[in-house]
Amino acid sequence: GFLRANTLQNPSAGLLKSMFENFSNYERLEKLYQKKHTIFMSCFSSRIRSYFFPWYKGTPCITPYNTILLEERLLQPFLTFLNSYNIPVIANPTYKLFNISYESVAKDLKFNNGIAYLPSTANMSEEEIIFLANKIKEFYKITVHSSSSPK
């Protein structure tokens, strides 16, 4: 994760410089994120979108993060599958749950342990986005869809 203590109360010189230099760029960046995310999501059927991206409700993201949700049992095979195509993907590196018990802890753990970070579409060409989407669809076909099909 990231060290966030006192970040906004006592911002570093680097953070202040970045904020100042990018203040006029935020609209351009948001439009770029929206465009690339729209291309990415348009590659999937509604069935695959709802399976891997349940939070997607038709509105493109304006963040550089590109996450996917998998069943826990499929996380490592998914990482291995994409890595075999030299696609960098990592298991959830940031969100950790509290070590306390509460009513929905099992549901939260399942979600938390199924998140993977995909490459940021903002830095990708349209061809690269389509390639990534095609590999995700291929993984779905050989793991999820084939296991739910009647034998």
Side-chain angles (χ1 to χ4, degrees):
F2 305 98
L3 179 61
R4 293 182 176 88
N6 297 321
T7 300
L8 296 179
Q9 293 175 353
N10 188 17
S12 67
L15 177 59
L16 289 172
K17 180 177 186 247
S18 175
M19 289 169 62
F20 177 76
E21 290 175 354
N22 288 296
F23 184 74
S24 60
N25 281 338
Y26 81 92
E27 286 180 329
R28 182 185 63 79
L29 291 172
E30 285 183 359
K31 285 178 184 171
L32 172 68
Y33 295 150
Q34 286 177 343
K35 176 185 173 188
K36 297 294 184 92
H37 190 258
T38 298
I39 293 169
F40 182 63
M41 285 297 161
S42 72
C43 293
F44 301 106
S45 66
S46 59
R47 182 178 185 170
I48 292 177
R49 270 195 309 268
S50 65
Y51 184 82
F52 286 128
F53 311 98
W55 48 82
Y56 180 73
K57 305 298 181 205
T59 304
C61 288
I62 55 170
T63 174
Y65 298 109
N66 192 15
T67 53
I68 187 168
L69 180 64
L70 300 134
E71 295 174 50
E72 277 186 75
R73 67 179 179 84
L74 295 177
L75 182 61
Q76 193 54 53
F78 180 76
L79 300 177
T80 301
F81 179 78
L82 287 189
N83 286 167
S84 73
Y85 292 97
N86 296 315
I87 298 172
V89 59
I90 58 173
N92 184 0
T94 57
Y95 295 101
K96 305 301 176 209
L97 299 176
F98 298 112
N99 291 328
I100 59 172
S101 184
Y102 54 95
E103 189 174 326
S104 64
V105 70
K107 179 181 175 186
D108 292 346
L109 277 171
K110 182 178 177 182
F111 178 83
N112 192 61
N113 294 337
I115 293 285
Y117 280 68
L118 300 167
S120 175
T121 58
N123 298 320
M124 299 168 74
S125 68
E126 188 168 338
E127 292 78 21
E128 291 169 326
I129 292 170
I130 292 169
F131 181 80
L132 172 62
N134 285 339
K135 292 303 165 195
I136 293 169
K137 290 187 285 190
E138 184 180 336
F139 182 82
Y140 177 85
K141 184 178 180 182
I142 62 177
T143 59
V144 179
H145 183 67
S146 66
S147 67
S148 63
S149 297
K151 302 268 180 199

